[in-house]
Amino acid sequence: MKFSVGEKVSLQVPLPYLKTADSISMLRPPDLVSLDEVGMIIGIRPNDLLEVKFRMGNFLIPSERLKISGKDN
């Protein structure tokens, strides 16, 4: 599935951890983002990694773990 910057997305499945999109990435606990939370794609990285802005921060998430959301949050 192709994603574009500005699209609203949410997690398809829980992740074992979240990786921050900071210049020095950190691993964070997965409970910072729930499955029903809607985030916005703010960047596309190599290897199908998407930078997604959620309420608790910006995280790098593999595209196969995301789905397009129809909510307008």
Side-chain angles (χ1 to χ4, degrees):
M1 179 180 290
K2 290 288 182 186
F3 293 96
S4 60
V5 173
E7 263 185 308
K8 305 253 185 215
V9 293
S10 59
L11 295 176
Q12 288 190 57
V13 294
L15 298 173
Y17 59 85
L18 294 168
K19 184 176 182 180
T20 65
D22 302 327
S23 57
I24 299 176
S25 295
M26 293 176 44
L27 298 181
R28 305 289 297 166
D31 60 352
L32 294 178
V33 177
S34 65
L35 290 178
D36 60 348
E37 185 174 346
V38 176
M40 183 170 42
I41 297 174
I42 58 173
I44 299 174
R45 305 276 181 100
N47 298 324
D48 288 327
L49 276 182
L50 300 174
E51 184 177 348
V52 183
K53 179 180 180 110
F54 286 105
R55 182 175 44 90
M56 297 296 285
N58 299 348
F59 301 103
L60 297 175
I61 301 176
S63 62
E64 66 269 4
R65 301 288 184 112
L66 295 169
K67 63 181 177 183
I68 295 174
S69 177
K71 296 180 185 178
D72 292 327
N73 287 2

Coordinates of all heavy atoms in Angstrom, one line a residue:
M1 N 0.8 -1.2 0.0 CA 0.0 0.0 0.0 C 0.9 1.2 0.0 O 1.9 1.3 0.7 CB -0.9 0.0 1.2 CG -1.8 1.2 1.3 SD -2.9 1.2 2.8 CE -4.0 -0.1 2.4
K2 N 0.6 2.2 -0.8 CA 1.3 3.4 -0.9 C 0.7 4.5 0.0 O -0.5 4.7 0.0 CB 1.3 4.0 -2.3 CG 2.2 3.1 -3.3 CD 3.6 3.3 -3.0 CE 4.5 2.5 -3.9 NZ 5.8 2.5 -3.6
F3 N 1.5 5.2 0.8 CA 1.1 6.2 1.7 C 1.7 7.5 1.2 O 2.7 7.5 0.5 CB 1.6 5.9 3.1 CG 0.9 4.8 3.7 CD1 1.5 3.5 3.7 CD2 -0.3 4.9 4.4 CE1 0.9 2.4 4.3 CE2 -0.9 3.8 5.0 CZ -0.3 2.6 4.9
S4 N 1.1 8.6 1.6 CA 1.6 9.9 1.2 C 1.6 10.8 2.5 O 0.9 10.6 3.4 CB 0.8 10.6 0.1 OG -0.5 10.7 0.5
V5 N 2.5 11.8 2.4 CA 2.6 12.8 3.6 C 1.3 13.5 3.7 O 0.6 13.9 2.8 CB 3.7 13.8 3.3 CG1 3.8 14.9 4.3 CG2 5.1 13.1 3.2
G6 N 0.8 13.6 5.0 CA -0.4 14.3 5.3 C -1.6 13.3 5.5 O -2.6 13.7 6.0
E7 N -1.4 12.1 5.1 CA -2.5 11.1 5.3 C -2.7 10.7 6.8 O -1.7 10.7 7.5 CB -2.2 9.8 4.5 CG -2.8 9.7 3.2 CD -2.6 8.4 2.5 OE1 -1.4 8.0 2.4 OE2 -3.6 7.8 2.1
K8 N -3.9 10.5 7.2 CA -4.3 10.1 8.5 C -4.2 8.5 8.6 O -4.8 7.9 7.7 CB -5.6 10.5 8.9 CG -5.8 12.0 8.7 CD -5.9 12.7 10.1 CE -6.2 14.2 9.8 NZ -5.5 15.0 10.8
V9 N -3.5 8.0 9.6 CA -3.3 6.6 9.7 C -3.5 6.1 11.1 O -3.4 7.0 12.1 CB -1.9 6.1 9.2 CG1 -1.8 6.3 7.7 CG2 -0.8 6.8 9.9
S10 N -3.7 4.8 11.3 CA -3.7 4.2 12.7 C -3.0 2.9 12.6 O -2.8 2.3 11.5 CB -5.1 4.1 13.2 OG -5.9 3.3 12.3
L11 N -2.6 2.3 13.7 CA -2.0 1.0 13.8 C -2.9 -0.1 13.5 O -4.1 -0.1 13.9 CB -1.4 0.8 15.2 CG -0.3 1.8 15.6 CD1 0.1 1.4 17.1 CD2 1.0 1.6 14.8
Q12 N -2.5 -1.1 12.7 CA -3.2 -2.3 12.4 C -3.1 -3.3 13.6 O -4.1 -3.9 13.9 CB -2.7 -2.9 11.1 CG -3.1 -2.2 9.9 CD -2.7 -3.1 8.7 OE1 -3.2 -4.2 8.6 NE2 -1.9 -2.6 7.8
V13 N -1.9 -3.4 14.1 CA -1.6 -4.4 15.1 C -0.7 -3.7 16.2 O 0.0 -2.8 15.9 CB -0.9 -5.6 14.5 CG1 -1.8 -6.4 13.6 CG2 0.4 -5.2 13.8
P14 N -0.8 -4.2 17.4 CA 0.1 -3.7 18.4 C 1.6 -3.9 18.1 O 1.9 -4.9 17.4 CB -0.2 -4.4 19.7 CG -1.5 -5.2 19.4 CD -1.6 -5.3 17.9
L15 N 2.5 -3.0 18.4 CA 3.9 -3.1 18.2 C 4.6 -3.5 19.5 O 4.1 -3.2 20.6 CB 4.4 -1.8 17.7 CG 3.9 -1.3 16.4 CD1 4.4 0.1 16.1 CD2 4.2 -2.2 15.2
P16 N 5.7 -4.3 19.4 CA 6.5 -4.6 20.6 C 7.1 -3.4 21.2 O 7.4 -3.4 22.4 CB 7.5 -5.7 20.1 CG 7.6 -5.4 18.6 CD 6.3 -4.8 18.2
Y17 N 7.4 -2.4 20.5 CA 8.0 -1.2 21.0 C 7.8 -0.1 19.9 O 7.4 -0.4 18.8 CB 9.5 -1.3 21.2 CG 10.3 -1.7 20.0 CD1 10.7 -0.8 19.1 CD2 10.5 -3.1 19.7 CE1 11.4 -1.1 17.9 CE2 11.2 -3.4 18.5 CZ 11.7 -2.5 17.7 OH 12.3 -2.8 16.5
L18 N 8.0 1.2 20.3 CA 7.9 2.3 19.4 C 9.3 2.9 19.3 O 10.0 3.1 20.3 CB 6.9 3.4 19.9 CG 5.5 2.9 19.9 CD1 4.7 3.9 20.7 CD2 4.9 2.8 18.5
K19 N 9.7 3.3 18.1 CA 11.0 3.9 17.8 C 10.8 5.4 17.5 O 10.0 5.7 16.6 CB 11.7 3.2 16.7 CG 13.1 3.7 16.4 CD 13.8 2.9 15.3 CE 15.2 3.4 15.1 NZ 15.8 2.6 14.0
T20 N 11.4 6.3 18.3 CA 11.2 7.7 18.1 C 11.8 8.1 16.8 O 12.8 7.5 16.3 CB 11.8 8.5 19.2 OG1 13.2 8.4 19.3 CG2 11.1 8.2 20.6
A21 N 11.3 9.2 16.2 CA 11.8 9.7 15.0 C 12.9 10.8 15.2 O 13.2 11.6 14.3 CB 10.7 10.3 14.1
D22 N 13.4 10.9 16.4 CA 14.4 11.9 16.7 C 15.7 11.6 16.0 O 15.9 10.5 15.4 CB 14.7 11.9 18.2 CG 13.5 12.2 19.0 OD1 12.6 13.0 18.5 OD2 13.4 11.6 20.1
S23 N 16.6 12.6 15.9 CA 17.9 12.4 15.3 C 18.7 11.2 15.9 O 19.4 10.5 15.3 CB 18.8 13.6 15.2 OG 19.0 14.1 16.5
I24 N 18.6 11.1 17.2 CA 19.1 9.9 18.0 C 17.8 9.2 18.5 O 17.2 9.5 19.4 CB 20.0 10.3 19.1 CG1 21.2 11.1 18.6 CG2 20.4 9.1 19.9 CD1 22.1 11.6 19.7
S25 N 17.5 8.1 17.7 CA 16.2 7.4 18.0 C 16.3 6.7 19.4 O 17.4 6.2 19.8 CB 16.0 6.4 16.9 OG 15.7 7.0 15.7
M26 N 15.2 6.6 20.0 CA 15.1 5.8 21.3 C 13.9 4.8 21.1 O 13.0 5.1 20.4 CB 14.8 6.8 22.4 CG 15.9 7.7 22.8 SD 15.5 8.9 24.1 CE 14.7 7.9 25.3
L27 N 14.0 3.7 21.8 CA 12.9 2.8 21.9 C 12.0 3.2 23.1 O 12.5 3.4 24.2 CB 13.4 1.4 22.0 CG 14.3 0.9 20.9 CD1 14.7 -0.6 21.2 CD2 13.6 1.0 19.6
R28 N 10.7 3.2 22.8 CA 9.7 3.6 23.8 C 8.7 2.5 24.0 O 8.5 1.7 23.1 CB 9.0 4.9 23.4 CG 10.0 6.1 23.1 CD 10.6 6.6 24.3 NE 9.5 7.2 25.1 CZ 9.6 7.5 26.3 NH1 10.7 7.5 26.9 NH2 8.6 8.0 27.0
P29 N 8.0 2.5 25.1 CA 7.0 1.4 25.4 C 5.9 1.6 24.4 O 5.5 2.7 24.0 CB 6.5 1.7 26.8 CG 7.0 3.0 27.1 CD 8.1 3.4 26.3
P30 N 5.3 0.4 24.0 CA 4.2 0.5 22.9 C 2.9 1.1 23.4 O 2.1 1.4 22.6 CB 4.0 -1.0 22.6 CG 4.5 -1.7 23.9 CD 5.6 -0.9 24.4
D31 N 2.7 1.2 24.7 CA 1.4 1.7 25.2 C 1.3 3.2 25.0 O 0.2 3.8 25.4 CB 1.2 1.3 26.6 CG 2.2 1.8 27.6 OD1 3.2 2.4 27.1 OD2 2.0 1.7 28.8
L32 N 2.2 3.9 24.4 CA 2.1 5.3 24.1 C 1.1 5.6 23.0 O 0.6 6.7 22.9 CB 3.5 6.0 23.8 CG 4.5 6.0 24.9 CD1 5.8 6.6 24.4 CD2 4.0 6.8 26.1
V33 N 0.9 4.6 22.2 CA 0.0 4.8 21.0 C -1.0 3.6 21.0 O -0.6 2.5 21.0 CB 0.7 4.8 19.7 CG1 -0.2 4.9 18.5 CG2 1.7 6.0 19.6
S34 N -2.3 3.9 21.1 CA -3.3 2.9 21.1 C -3.7 2.6 19.7 O -3.5 3.3 18.8 CB -4.5 3.3 21.9 OG -5.2 4.4 21.3
L35 N -4.4 1.4 19.5 CA -4.8 1.0 18.2 C -5.8 1.9 17.5 O -5.9 2.0 16.3 CB -5.3 -0.4 18.2 CG -4.3 -1.5 18.4 CD1 -5.0 -2.9 18.5 CD2 -3.2 -1.5 17.4
D36 N -6.6 2.6 18.4 CA -7.7 3.5 17.8 C -7.2 4.9 17.7 O -8.0 5.8 17.2 CB -8.9 3.4 18.7 CG -8.7 3.8 20.1 OD1 -7.5 4.0 20.5 OD2 -9.7 4.0 20.8
E37 N -6.0 5.2 18.0 CA -5.5 6.6 17.9 C -5.1 6.9 16.4 O -4.5 6.1 15.8 CB -4.2 6.8 18.8 CG -3.8 8.3 18.8 CD -2.6 8.5 19.8 OE1 -2.4 7.7 20.7 OE2 -2.0 9.6 19.6
V38 N -5.5 8.1 16.0 CA -5.2 8.5 14.6 C -4.0 9.4 14.6 O -3.9 10.4 15.4 CB -6.4 9.2 14.0 CG1 -6.1 9.7 12.6 CG2 -7.6 8.2 13.9
G39 N -3.0 9.1 13.7 CA -1.9 10.0 13.6 C -1.7 10.5 12.1 O -2.5 10.0 11.3
M40 N -0.8 11.4 11.9 CA -0.6 11.9 10.5 C 0.8 11.6 10.1 O 1.8 11.8 10.8 CB -0.9 13.4 10.5 CG -0.7 13.9 9.1 SD -1.3 15.7 8.9 CE -0.6 16.5 10.3
I41 N 0.9 11.1 8.8 CA 2.2 10.9 8.2 C 2.9 12.2 8.0 O 2.3 13.1 7.3 CB 2.1 10.1 6.9 CG1 1.5 8.7 7.2 CG2 3.5 9.9 6.3 CD1 1.2 7.9 6.0
I42 N 4.1 12.4 8.5 CA 4.8 13.7 8.3 C 6.2 13.4 7.6 O 6.9 14.4 7.3 CB 5.1 14.4 9.7 CG1 5.9 13.6 10.6 CG2 3.8 14.9 10.3 CD1 6.3 14.3 11.9
G43 N 6.5 12.2 7.3 CA 7.7 11.9 6.5 C 7.7 10.4 6.0 O 7.1 9.6 6.7
I44 N 8.4 10.2 4.9 CA 8.6 8.9 4.4 C 10.1 8.6 4.4 O 10.9 9.4 3.8 CB 8.0 8.8 3.0 CG1 6.4 9.0 3.1 CG2 8.2 7.4 2.4 CD1 5.7 9.1 1.8
R45 N 10.5 7.5 5.0 CA 11.9 7.2 5.1 C 12.2 5.9 4.2 O 11.3 5.2 3.8 CB 12.3 6.8 6.6 CG 11.9 7.9 7.6 CD 13.1 9.0 7.6 NE 12.8 10.0 8.6 CZ 13.3 10.1 9.8 NH1 14.1 9.1 10.2 NH2 13.0 11.1 10.6
P46 N 13.5 5.6 4.0 CA 13.8 4.4 3.3 C 13.3 3.2 4.0 O 13.0 3.2 5.2 CB 15.3 4.4 3.2 CG 15.7 5.9 3.4 CD 14.6 6.4 4.3
N47 N 13.3 2.1 3.3 CA 12.9 0.7 3.8 C 11.4 0.7 4.3 O 11.1 0.0 5.2 CB 13.8 0.3 4.9 CG 15.2 0.1 4.4 OD1 15.4 -0.3 3.2 ND2 16.2 0.4 5.2
D48 N 10.5 1.5 3.6 CA 9.1 1.5 4.0 C 8.8 1.9 5.4 O 7.9 1.4 6.0 CB 8.5 0.1 3.7 CG 8.3 -0.1 2.2 OD1 8.1 0.9 1.4 OD2 8.4 -1.3 1.8
L49 N 9.7 2.8 6.0 CA 9.4 3.3 7.3 C 8.7 4.7 7.1 O 9.1 5.5 6.3 CB 10.7 3.6 8.0 CG 11.3 2.4 8.8 CD1 12.6 2.9 9.5 CD2 10.4 1.8 9.8
L50 N 7.7 4.9 7.9 CA 6.9 6.1 7.9 C 7.1 6.9 9.2 O 7.0 6.3 10.3 CB 5.5 5.9 7.6 CG 5.1 5.1 6.3 CD1 3.7 4.8 6.2 CD2 5.6 6.0 5.1
E51 N 7.3 8.2 9.1 CA 7.4 9.0 10.3 C 6.0 9.5 10.6 O 5.4 10.2 9.7 CB 8.3 10.2 10.1 CG 8.5 11.0 11.3 CD 9.5 12.1 11.2 OE1 10.3 12.1 10.2 OE2 9.5 13.0 12.0
V52 N 5.4 9.1 11.7 CA 4.0 9.4 12.0 C 3.9 10.2 13.3 O 4.5 9.9 14.3 CB 3.2 8.1 12.2 CG1 1.7 8.4 12.4 CG2 3.3 7.2 10.9
K53 N 3.2 11.3 13.2 CA 3.0 12.2 14.4 C 1.7 11.7 15.1 O 0.6 11.8 14.6 CB 2.8 13.6 13.9 CG 2.6 14.6 15.1 CD 2.5 16.0 14.6 CE 2.2 16.9 15.8 NZ 3.4 17.7 16.0
F54 N 1.9 11.2 16.4 CA 0.8 10.9 17.2 C 0.8 11.9 18.4 O 1.7 12.7 18.6 CB 1.0 9.4 17.8 CG 0.7 8.4 16.8 CD1 1.8 7.7 16.2 CD2 -0.6 8.0 16.4 CE1 1.5 6.7 15.3 CE2 -0.8 7.0 15.5 CZ 0.2 6.3 14.9
R55 N -0.2 11.8 19.2 CA -0.3 12.7 20.4 C 0.9 12.7 21.3 O 1.3 13.7 21.8 CB -1.6 12.2 21.2 CG -2.0 13.0 22.4 CD -3.3 12.6 23.0 NE -3.4 11.1 23.1 CZ -3.0 10.4 24.2 NH1 -2.4 11.0 25.2 NH2 -3.1 9.1 24.2
M56 N 1.5 11.5 21.5 CA 2.7 11.4 22.4 C 4.0 11.5 21.8 O 5.0 11.3 22.4 CB 2.6 10.1 23.2 CG 1.4 9.9 24.1 SD 1.3 11.1 25.4 CE 2.5 10.4 26.5
G57 N 4.1 11.9 20.5 CA 5.3 12.1 19.8 C 5.3 11.6 18.4 O 4.3 11.1 17.8
N58 N 6.5 11.7 17.7 CA 6.7 11.2 16.4 C 7.5 9.9 16.4 O 8.5 9.8 17.0 CB 7.5 12.3 15.6 CG 6.8 13.6 15.5 OD1 5.6 13.7 15.8 ND2 7.5 14.6 15.0
F59 N 6.9 8.9 15.7 CA 7.5 7.6 15.7 C 7.7 7.1 14.3 O 7.0 7.4 13.4 CB 6.6 6.6 16.5 CG 6.4 7.1 17.9 CD1 5.2 7.7 18.3 CD2 7.3 6.9 18.9 CE1 4.9 8.1 19.6 CE2 7.1 7.3 20.2 CZ 5.9 7.9 20.5
L60 N 8.8 6.2 14.2 CA 9.0 5.5 12.9 C 8.3 4.2 12.9 O 8.6 3.3 13.8 CB 10.5 5.3 12.7 CG 11.4 6.6 12.6 CD1 12.8 6.3 12.6 CD2 11.0 7.4 11.4
I61 N 7.4 4.0 12.0 CA 6.6 2.8 12.0 C 6.6 2.1 10.6 O 6.5 2.8 9.6 CB 5.2 3.1 12.4 CG1 5.2 3.7 13.8 CG2 4.3 1.8 12.3 CD1 3.8 4.2 14.3
P62 N 6.9 0.8 10.5 CA 6.8 0.2 9.2 C 5.5 0.3 8.5 O 4.4 0.2 9.2 CB 7.1 -1.3 9.5 CG 7.7 -1.3 10.9 CD 7.2 -0.1 11.6
S63 N 5.5 0.6 7.2 CA 4.2 0.8 6.5 C 3.2 -0.3 6.6 O 2.0 -0.1 6.6 CB 4.5 1.2 5.1 OG 5.1 0.1 4.4
E64 N 3.7 -1.6 6.7 CA 2.8 -2.7 6.7 C 2.1 -2.8 8.1 O 1.1 -3.6 8.2 CB 3.6 -4.0 6.4 CG 4.6 -4.5 7.5 CD 6.0 -3.9 7.2 OE1 6.2 -3.2 6.2 OE2 6.9 -4.3 8.0
R65 N 2.5 -2.1 9.1 CA 1.8 -2.0 10.4 C 0.7 -1.0 10.5 O 0.1 -0.8 11.5 CB 2.8 -1.8 11.5 CG 3.9 -2.9 11.6 CD 3.3 -4.2 12.1 NE 4.4 -5.2 12.2 CZ 4.8 -5.6 13.4 NH1 4.2 -5.2 14.5 NH2 5.7 -6.5 13.5
L66 N 0.6 -0.2 9.4 CA -0.4 1.0 9.4 C -1.5 0.7 8.5 O -1.4 0.0 7.5 CB 0.3 2.2 9.0 CG 1.4 2.7 10.0 CD1 2.2 3.9 9.3 CD2 0.8 3.2 11.3
K67 N -2.7 1.4 8.8 CA -3.8 1.4 7.8 C -4.3 2.8 7.8 O -4.1 3.6 8.7 CB -4.9 0.5 8.4 CG -5.5 0.9 9.7 CD -6.5 -0.1 10.1 CE -7.0 0.4 11.5 NZ -8.0 -0.6 12.1
I68 N -4.9 3.2 6.6 CA -5.4 4.5 6.4 C -6.7 4.6 7.3 O -7.5 3.7 7.4 CB -5.8 4.7 4.9 CG1 -4.4 4.7 4.1 CG2 -6.5 6.1 4.7 CD1 -4.6 4.8 2.7
S69 N -6.8 5.8 7.9 CA -7.9 6.0 8.8 C -8.9 7.0 8.2 O -8.5 8.0 7.6 CB -7.4 6.6 10.2 OG -8.5 6.9 11.0
G70 N -10.2 6.8 8.4 CA -11.2 7.7 7.8 C -11.6 8.8 8.7 O -12.4 9.6 8.4
K71 N -11.1 8.8 10.0 CA -11.5 9.8 11.0 C -10.8 11.1 10.6 O -9.7 11.2 10.1 CB -11.0 9.4 12.4 CG -11.7 8.1 12.9 CD -11.2 7.8 14.3 CE -11.8 6.5 14.8 NZ -11.3 6.2 16.1
D72 N -11.5 12.2 11.0 CA -10.9 13.6 10.8 C -10.6 14.2 12.1 O -11.3 15.0 12.7 CB -12.0 14.5 10.1 CG -12.2 14.0 8.6 OD1 -11.2 13.5 8.0 OD2 -13.3 14.2 8.1
N73 N -9.4 13.7 12.7 CA -9.0 14.3 14.0 C -7.9 15.3 13.8 O -7.1 15.2 13.1 CB -8.5 13.1 14.9 CG -9.6 12.3 15.4 OD1 -10.8 12.5 15.1 ND2 -9.3 11.3 16.2

